Amino acid sequence: MRIRNSVALVTGANRGLGRAYAQALLDAGAAKVYAAARDTTTVSQTGAAAIRLDVTDPASVAAAASIAGDAQIVINNAGISERKPLLGEDGEAVLRRIMETNLYGILAVSRGFAPVLKANGGGALVNMLSALSWFSNPNSGPYSVSKAAAWALTNGLRNELRGQGTLVMAVHAGYIDTDMTAKIEAPKARPEDIAARMIEGLLAGSEEVLADDASKHAKLGFGATPSLYLDGLAGEQKGLDGALRAA
């Protein structure tokens, strides 16, 4: 996938990983990067074009697709997290709220921009997933459900968009040093490093990027006994310990 002189759009680009993605695309030579956020006044990145986009609002997605009709790379980065138990008093409400952004938001943006990518030669659709697509712990239940569903969605989108020449790429990572993980005590990757791995994946035409050691060990954990995803917090610790040993 060519990045130089291309046009890209990043959702949730006003801070954290989304901002790092937008900067990495600019540094890689993208001619234009739409930095999408619900509130465009929160976008302050030099060189990026702020665009309003609420991934949970179909009208907002349609408007963004009309404005960014020249997009060749679309990155589904916007996401939310709440560290609540699935069986807690408000567990169902929390899960529905998270799924609205982390799953249905990806679907809405993908549906809205698929025709745009097709018209512009195919391009690439990048979905930001997680090592928590593959396992859960008592504090990550709703978030893990949403990311597992988003992984399955990404695999389905890949099948449906392959015919129009669109590269669908999944990016997995463990904890990243952003506002979302500010209260979590664990090894964290730098947003800039994850963004660099994403750029490498695009240039190589990769369909899946394991962007840090935590995600690599999480996937390798499928072959462990017991499998990492069966082992809850102990499985998470094994994955983090393995990431530290590999670092």
Side-chain angles (χ1 to χ4, degrees), residues 24-83:
L25 288 161
L26 289 168
D27 291 344
K32 182 192 298 184
V33 175
Y34 293 102
R38 278 183 284 191
D39 180 0
T40 57
T41 65
T42 62
V43 177
S44 58
Q45 194 160 21
T46 302
I51 182 173
R52 184 182 181 279
L53 175 56
D54 180 348
V55 302
T56 68
D57 179 357
S60 177
V61 173
S66 177
I67 294 170
D70 52 350
Q72 299 160 295
I73 300 169
V74 173
I75 299 182
N76 277 310
N77 166 74
I80 62 173
S81 176
E82 295 184 47
R83 292 173 67 78

Side-chain angles (χ1 to χ4, degrees), residues 91-114:
E92 181 176 346
V94 170
L95 178 59
R96 288 183 182 277
R97 188 159 54 244
I98 292 176
M99 294 283 277
E100 194 66 30
T101 296
N102 294 6
L103 177 67
Y104 293 108
I106 289 178
L107 177 60
V109 172
S110 301
R111 183 192 301 275
F113 278 89

Side-chain angles (χ1 to χ4, degrees), residues 15-241:
R15 60 180 182 172
L17 182 60
R19 184 182 176 91
Y21 274 157
Q23 188 61 53
L25 288 161
L26 289 168
D27 291 344
K32 182 192 298 184
V33 175
Y34 293 102
R38 278 183 284 191
D39 180 0
T40 57
T41 65
T42 62
V43 177
S44 58
Q45 194 160 21
T46 302
I51 182 173
R52 184 182 181 279
L53 175 56
D54 180 348
V55 302
T56 68
D57 179 357
S60 177
V61 173
S66 177
I67 294 170
D70 52 350
Q72 299 160 295
I73 300 169
V74 173
I75 299 182
N76 277 310
N77 166 74
I80 62 173
S81 176
E82 295 184 47
R83 292 173 67 78
K84 300 286 185 68
L86 286 164
L87 297 181
E89 184 177 346
D90 59 348
E92 181 176 346
V94 170
L95 178 59
R96 288 183 182 277
R97 188 159 54 244
I98 292 176
M99 294 283 277
E100 194 66 30
T101 296
N102 294 6
L103 177 67
Y104 293 108
I106 289 178
L107 177 60
V109 172
S110 301
R111 183 192 301 275
F113 278 89
V116 172
L117 294 175
K118 181 179 181 180
N120 294 327
L125 179 71
V126 180
N127 291 342
M128 185 61 207
L129 303 178
S130 174
L132 289 169
S133 304
W134 299 320
F135 72 92
S136 184
N137 63 51
N139 293 317
S140 74
Y143 182 78
S144 291
V145 170
S146 74
K147 288 300 184 178
W151 180 42
L153 172 65
T154 301
N155 293 334
L157 291 172
R158 185 177 296 116
N159 292 332
E160 295 189 19
L161 295 178
R162 185 174 284 119
Q164 70 174 43
T166 298
L167 169 68
V168 176
M169 188 171 84
V171 179
H172 294 270
Y175 294 130
I176 305 170
D177 192 10
T178 65
D179 291 346
M180 184 181 288
T181 65
K183 296 182 180 180
I184 298 174
E185 294 294 330
K188 300 172 188 178
R190 296 171 64 245
E192 295 80 6
D193 292 338
I194 303 302
R197 301 294 85 73
M198 181 276 294
I199 292 293
E200 291 171 2
L202 274 179
L203 291 172
S206 303
E207 293 185 321
E208 182 174 79
V209 173
L210 305 180
D212 61 3
D213 290 321
S215 61
K216 293 173 185 176
H217 281 272
K219 192 168 186 184
L220 284 173
F222 274 69
T225 304
S227 293
L228 187 149
Y229 63 84
L230 296 175
D231 210 11
L233 282 172
E236 178 182 32
Q237 190 58 52
K238 289 177 184 176
L240 293 174
D241 288 346

